[in-house]
Amino acid sequence: MEELTIVIGGEQGEGIESVGEILTKVLSQKGFNLYGFRNFSSRIKGGHSDFNLRVSSGREIYVNAERANLLIAFDQATIDLYKDQMAANSIILYDSKSVNPNNFADLPEDALIIEAPFQQLALECGNSIMKNMVAIGMICGLNQHSPMEFKDVIKDRFSKKGIKIVEMNIEAFEKGHDFVKEKGLYSIPLVPVTDSRKMFLSGNEAMVIGAVAAGCRFMAGYPITPASEILENLIKIMPEYGGIVVQAEDELCSVAMAIGASFAGTRAMTATSGPGVSLMQEAVGLSGAVEIPLVIIDTQRGGPSSGLATKMEQSDLTAMLGGTHGEIPRIIISPSTIQEAMYDMGTAFNLAEQYQCPVFIAADLVLATSKQSTEILDTRKFEMDRGKRVTDEDLLLQEAKVFDRFAFTEDYISPRTIPGQKYGTHHATGIEHGETGHPTEDPINRKKMMIKRMEKINSVTIGEDIKVEGVAEDILIIGFGSTYGAIKEACEQFQASGIKAGLAHLRLLHPFPAKQLERLVSMARQVIVVENNYSGQLANVIKQHVQDHAKIQKLTKFDGTLFKPSDILTFSKELV
Amino acid sequence: MEELTIVIGGEQGEGIESVGEILTKVLSQKGFNLYGFRNFSSRIKGGHSDFNLRVSSGREIYVNAERANLLIAFDQATIDLYKDQMAANSIILYDSKSVNPNNFADLPEDALIIEAPFQQLALECGNSIMKNMVAIGMICGLNQHSPMEFKDVIKDRFSKKGIKIVEMNIEAFEKGHDFVKEKGLYSIPLVPVTDSRKMFLSGNEAMVIGAVAAGCRFMAGYPITPASEILENLIKIMPEYGGIVVQAEDELCSVAMAIGASFAGTRAMTATSGPGVSLMQEAVGLSGAVEIPLVIIDTQRGGPSSGLATKMEQSDLTAMLGGTHGEIPRIIISPSTIQEAMYDMGTAFNLAEQYQCPVFIAADLVLATSKQSTEILDTRKFEMDRGKRVTDEDLLLQEAKVFDRFAFTEDYISPRTIPGQKYGTHHATGIEHGETGHPTEDPINRKKMMIKRMEKINSVTIGEDIKVEGVAEDILIIGFGSTYGAIKEACEQFQASGIKAGLAHLRLLHPFPAKQLERLVSMARQVIVVENNYSGQLANVIKQHVQDHAKIQKLTKFDGTLFKPSDILTFSKELV
Amino acid sequence: MATLKDYRMDIKPNWCPGCGDFSVLAAIQKVAVNLNIEAEDMAFISGIGCSGRISGYVNAYTMHTMHGRALATAQGVKLANPDLHVICAGGDGDGFGIGLNHFAHAARRNVDLTYIVMDNQIYGLTKGQMSPTSPQGMETKSSPGGNPEQPINPLQMALASGSSFIAQAFSGDVKQLMSLIEQGMQHKGFAFINVFSPCVTFNKVLTYEYFKKNLVNLDEKEGYDPSNRAMAFNMVEETGSMFTGLLYKQERKTLTESLPKGSGTNMLTRDTFILDDIMKEKLISRYV
Amino acid sequence: MATLKDYRMDIKPNWCPGCGDFSVLAAIQKVAVNLNIEAEDMAFISGIGCSGRISGYVNAYTMHTMHGRALATAQGVKLANPDLHVICAGGDGDGFGIGLNHFAHAARRNVDLTYIVMDNQIYGLTKGQMSPTSPQGMETKSSPGGNPEQPINPLQMALASGSSFIAQAFSGDVKQLMSLIEQGMQHKGFAFINVFSPCVTFNKVLTYEYFKKNLVNLDEKEGYDPSNRAMAFNMVEETGSMFTGLLYKQERKTLTESLPKGSGTNMLTRDTFILDDIMKEKLISRYV
Ligand SMILES: Cc1ncc(C[n+]2csc(CCOP(=O)(O)OP(=O)(O)O)c2C)c(N)n1
Ligand SMILES: Cc1ncc(C[n+]2csc(CCOP(=O)(O)OP(=O)(O)O)c2C)c(N)n1
Ligand code: SF4
Ligand code: SF4
Ligand SMILES: [Mg+2]
Ligand SMILES: [Mg+2]
């Protein structure tokens, strides 16, 4: 087999997360390309959770498969949720302690359904909590991996807790392994790979790595799902790199702290999700008005208000585009893969300093929390461009008492000095100001300053502002963020059936790459804009820029579930 | 003469405001139609300020005239600002104590320029502060009004300060009056009027009256220019009507208090401007999610950030439309005259309760602070519609323990109960919820709830959603808010020169009356969208809904100054 | 007669087994019954957090608002309808982190409501970051090297802000908890009750055992005078906040009592209304 | 050698003649010179209000931020570059109304900066509404019937929040004002100085005369021990806050000193940087 999808589900607190971690560690080391997504609900203990892992011996993957080959169910919800999503000849293992086989009516007929005593085997080793290790043993056996690598990872993981715990877990693993071996159960093995070294990590983790590599040395945050991991990971590692991370009392403070640190010259950021974005709106406006660099990650989640905090949505686009009062320059970058999430941090910090304005990373819950195999960090992609900074030497030559921090220039970008630089002192105020930064209400200055601020970003590009794949003569599929994987596979399926489909994934959402998109739209017969929100926010932005409204179709999803390639295929068929 | 424009300018603190008040009081009582706007800068004392009053014997007016007939200059800035804006045969009075006649080079040749000893005459009465009374006396004399009515109003105004002060001010008035009479100065007199009783008030005052008449009984606010007057006026009068007004510690609190009061059943509101809108974004989302009525006035001012706090702008449209994270139903009404400001409050509170969602009043600085003559409050236009409230009787019949506060209904609007009603208890949460209000992550429910909330407002209308005037075959001019007056007069001037021009002023900004506007646009040869902001926010919204982008031209102004009819004429000519 | 059944919901709280918040929920419901408050006369407003979910488990007019804004909302409810018994509740992050400003201002404003904080010295719902009451040095997800910040002192904060009723309770002692909530609800004015309500999942330092071992009962302490501000301040210092009981109580005018005459007499929570001619003339008189 | 000229701007403050803020401006400039701080080493961050304009009148690295968020911003500045002398200033509304939350948290965090509030007990810039420190009963534009609310007590608030330096000054006594600002700037940690700075235009109650008549000078009071928290609390009670001088001072670790080892050693305020291979391997080690 080239590909395989394994799902394990149960109640929160049943160790689903550990299964995912151990499994992916081993498979990643063996060189497989992985994609993993964890479904979870917003309660601490109890409530269903599952981990869906797609393993590929070949190409990189960016989305879960629509069908599972191997399902492990610790709870009934796992069966209920996945019964319609099983691949041909799949294997289903369930624990009869918590799952009722009487409800198996709709399970596919070709599936191999096995009652497996997870809990009991774990208890035999001393504690039912280890049923997740039993499950790993079974997966190892079913997929015919060698147990060695698994045991090493398990040992590693529990070594801190003492030899006794390690042994118990190994025993549980072995019991699971023996169980399937004894029963003679196995699935078709995966084609082995001999691929190069890889990283396997989530979007949140990738953004943390990217931030550190980009020279970010200050982060202030406030916990919020699903952005908290960014704060937590940065707090853990930042001291090693000489930076500072602060958990503030709220988002009003965290964003203002970041602005302050940035004023002082440090690359500074904050990370949040929906409600935090709303609270930060005023400060975003300040950053734009005083032309102080600022990077904000928004890991979008289900809105509005408290909404669906643990579910997927891409519904903060209008808030990022126009949520602050008045008008400011801003840049919005949308990573669509884990790798992009990592490198986009470098781009974001460079643009923030080059253009002296706020930069949003428009991430989303799936991008933030799903994990992908990705290339090893390439530090050469993180060359720091600190923008128009003035050197101490030049300042000494000028020897001006008040530095023209907001000077009108040809490219609308003013030279910038940093506290501590002699002859660089200046005033930064959110009130409209002249070249020295001091307030003025003069209409002529006002007009010039607004134009300076608003038009400076016109030259922004992140290289590939729109990621274009395929030749979209028949169908052009447009999207942004983590829907990339589903759209990509939909395109492939269209192409497989002879339809000329292509995708245009927006990587730069603002300033909007209108011209390029207009050309793409004009060349396609049908255009579908795919997004996880109610109103078709991206489609609406496109309509502002592209005349051909009639051609543009919205495919939206706002129930917290993810797009599958087949959703797009079905929609397109219905259109015709 | 049918119309006359008087301007008096000087430093803040020189009593310009009082001149305006006394003058307008008298002229309003005499039945003239007035429009007055005060230019001011954001400092407390010092800094230029002027009051521009247009007086009409005939029709109602909605904008200042482009040229002044009578200019009184206490400071040099008044001359500098108005020298290019004098009508033919105008009269200019200046105080040589503070104005330098050497700088009069560019004053129109036909103007009568008179050095008038304002300060000195006031000093003769005991205090230079009374130079504003001297000015009133001169205006009275020049315009050949009888002094009696002026004296009555002056007496009234100062009576609290004692007979001595009254007499001094009357004397100053008389000295001014005598000065012009002795010199034999006069302007062409205004045609007398015999019109009915009128009110003369600002938009802020009109909204206060409207709120009280609409049955609003709770307001929580936080001072901010130019919305503070709403808070101040309501605090003054609300106790008489049995309501409560609270000055909160910030806007986060004021808007939440209003939501709380509204949950308890009272019609509740808040009023703010730019920075406050940014801070309220999260709560706006809550109001939308929990379907609790809320009315928010935004008196838009120059942005971004602290921006131009005392200058005109209409740049919060995107913030009102999409500033909160996630997606909610909301209604945005934009009054364009003082009279509309008054009655729109009734509409806003009715819609908020009928549709159970936040309603923005998108006012702007000019609308909020300029004063217009307007019809006497008609209380019959304020019939309260409290929406789908359930009666105590019906609740007793149902006798359900948990009330289905968020029931799915045909029109998507759920019945509402109020604390204190037996069998009406329920839970309201910003988390996605089912019909009882309790949280659920079920995707099917989620989808239904989103559709219910988002689509319920589709039926919203405020009667005249777009104010249409003229037949716009050649040119259609689109705008919103206080630019109405300038657009109206531009249309009249187009028509006078044989061009078929018409206007479409957006009164309902959301849900957007797309169909009607599309029809209007399609019928016009040229379309100009006039707005006080940089990016053409309204034009961009229109482009989302109307395909014919090429036809739509943006005329924007973002330097803090106001549109004049001639700006529109010039722009249109340049287009052709 | 209100009964416990009236206040109970058919919904199983999504708290972890053993969470301190269960006791607070039970205590509130029982006190409401003891005070014979009908469910429809109670408005229960909560913030966001594990603790904030509490209002959804009580059958009354309940509202789960925004993180940090519960008190702001609750004040609006009470001002609009003074006949309602208003309870407001949330977590330590909700109340002393993001919401501290409203706490201080609600306290000085003395709106008549009862504010209960379930103080577990951790951010529960977001899975274990430090909170403003986490002790200095405590390791959490967001302070792997130990919390570098000195914690906030909610009781002295309340005192400084002019709260007219200040008490502290412990989920492990439901009797005293009930008694203090009852006193708080009977207090005319802003009543603040800080409840040590252990998070069994994320706080392994401030546990039931820890509190049982360290808490002093102020209600049993001789010579303690809860009307003395200075004494209250010192008591917090001396015990390092490790006490339960009534710390401070003062009788003073509520906001509603201090407002100008006429205020709040016609809030139109349920009626419709049309301005009569006399009131109309009065309203427009300044502008004609 | 820093001179007064270095700190002066060619801009005339837009304050009303007689406004108390002039003294504060002059005092800060003089103290900076006395302490021989070069203009380029001072970061001056202010809030929004008449008082908030102060940073624009000083030649240094200055920033006029958002209403209520000056302290949040200032903490970021200081953390990013500890070599800067950071002053933060604003009004009573800015600091104790909308910004109170950051005040309390900055105080407990003990970031090393000096926070000066120009407390005129009124909202000046918005033209005369009541502020959180307006006395109860005071008539203002937004309390025509008299302020119904008990004011906030900034000094007890600071004390409760753990501020490690608390003083109060008066614009009418520039010498003491300068001395307290100087002490505050020399204090290692969060230094809070509340300055009675009369608004001559909108506050006709709390005037220069009023303060002159009523203020007690703590610095001259025998037996007063500013290291005693309880004494400080009582002093505020006794004087009804009508004192000037140093109220409280404590030496404790600043936030920067409490952060994990390595923190803040490579803030890259001015350098560029590229991750070396060893650090890179460390960074990615958890994910390979
Ligand atoms: C504006 C905003 N920021 C962040 C969050 C995420 N959040 C939810 S609850 C919470 C803190 C929970 O801690 P606490 O208030 O102590 O309540 P507990 O869960 O411990 O009971 C946070 C940060 C949010 N909902 N809204
Ligand atoms: C978010 C926000 N809300 C309101 C305002 C309006 N505003 C500007 S200054 C100010 C208060 C001024 O009072 P204070 O802080 O005491 O300063 P003072 O003018 O008295 O020195 C207010 C409410 C604002 N700028 N931003
Ligand atoms: S995480 Fe902690 S606070 Fe939240 S429910 Fe579990 S025990 Fe309670
Ligand atoms: S209004 Fe008051 S605070 Fe503002 S400048 Fe004038 S005197 Fe000073
Ligand atoms: Mg907590
Ligand atoms: Mg003030």
Side-chain angles (χ1 to χ4, degrees), chain C residues 96 100 103-104 107-108 115 152-167 190-194 229 247-248 250 252, chain D residues 150 156-157 160 233:
Chain C
F96 311 139
L100 183 71
F103 174 47
R108 74 182 177 91
Y115 180 44
I152 209 97
N153 188 323
L155 301 158
Q156 290 189 345
M157 259 350 241
L159 210 56
S161 321
S163 178
S164 59
F165 180 105
I166 308 171
F190 182 83
F192 165 53
I193 301 153
N194 196 53
R229 278 169 65 79
L247 180 72
Y248 180 70
Q250 172 198 36
R252 66 176 174 96
Chain D
Q150 174 178 307
Q156 290 188 344
M157 266 335 247
F233 186 87

Side-chain angles (χ1 to χ4, degrees), chain A residues 313 325 327 446 535 543, chain B residues 278 313 325 327 446 535 549:
Chain A
E313 209 163 90
H325 64 282
E327 293 160 303
R446 159 71 173 183
S535 46
K543 284 186 179 180
Chain B
S278 288
E313 209 162 271
H325 64 283
E327 294 161 302
R446 160 67 174 186
S535 46
H549 290 193

Side-chain angles (χ1 to χ4, degrees), chain A residues 40-43 252 273-279 281-282 285-286 288-289 301-311 313 315-328 330 429-432 440-444 446-448 450-451 453-455 458 532-537 539-551 558-561, chain B residues 40-43 252 273-279 281-282 285-286 288-289 301-311 313 315-328 330 429-432 440-444 446-448 450-451 453-455 458 532-537 539-551 558-561:
Chain A
F40 60 111
S41 69
S42 68
R43 55 189 295 179
L252 303 165
S273 189
V277 170
S278 287
L279 288 177
Q281 294 290 14
E282 190 191 9
L286 177 70
R301 66 184 211 184
S305 193
S306 299
L308 287 172
T310 59
K311 302 290 172 206
E313 209 163 90
S315 56
D316 296 348
L317 187 54
T318 63
M320 287 185 266
L321 274 170
T324 194
H325 64 282
E327 293 160 303
I328 55 154
R330 82 193 83 202
T429 171
I431 299 184
E432 193 54 276
T440 165
E441 294 179 340
D442 173 38
I444 294 166
R446 159 71 173 183
K447 192 169 170 182
K448 278 178 79 175
M450 274 298 282
I451 290 174
R453 280 193 302 264
M454 297 303 285
E455 301 201 356
N458 287 350
N532 272 114
N533 59 51
Y534 168 84
S535 46
Q537 299 190 358
N540 291 342
V541 173
I542 294 173
K543 284 186 179 180
Q544 261 179 43
H545 295 282
V546 178
Q547 284 229 26
D548 203 351
H549 289 194
K551 201 192 265 181
F558 46 93
D559 61 1
T561 67
Chain B
F40 60 110
S41 67
S42 67
R43 55 189 291 177
L252 303 165
S273 190
V277 170
S278 288
L279 287 178
Q281 293 290 13
E282 191 192 6
L286 178 71
R301 67 184 209 186
S305 193
S306 299
L308 287 171
T310 60
K311 300 292 172 206
E313 209 162 271
S315 56
D316 296 348
L317 188 54
T318 62
M320 287 185 267
L321 274 171
T324 193
H325 64 283
E327 294 161 302
I328 54 153
R330 79 194 86 202
T429 172
I431 299 182
E432 192 54 275
T440 163
E441 293 179 340
D442 173 38
I444 294 165
R446 160 67 174 186
K447 192 170 171 183
K448 279 178 78 175
M450 274 298 283
I451 290 174
R453 280 194 302 264
M454 297 304 286
E455 301 202 356
N458 287 350
N532 273 113
N533 58 50
Y534 167 84
S535 46
Q537 300 191 357
N540 290 342
V541 174
I542 293 172
K543 285 185 178 181
Q544 261 179 43
H545 294 283
V546 178
Q547 285 229 26
D548 202 352
H549 290 193
K551 202 191 264 180
F558 46 92
D559 61 1
T561 67

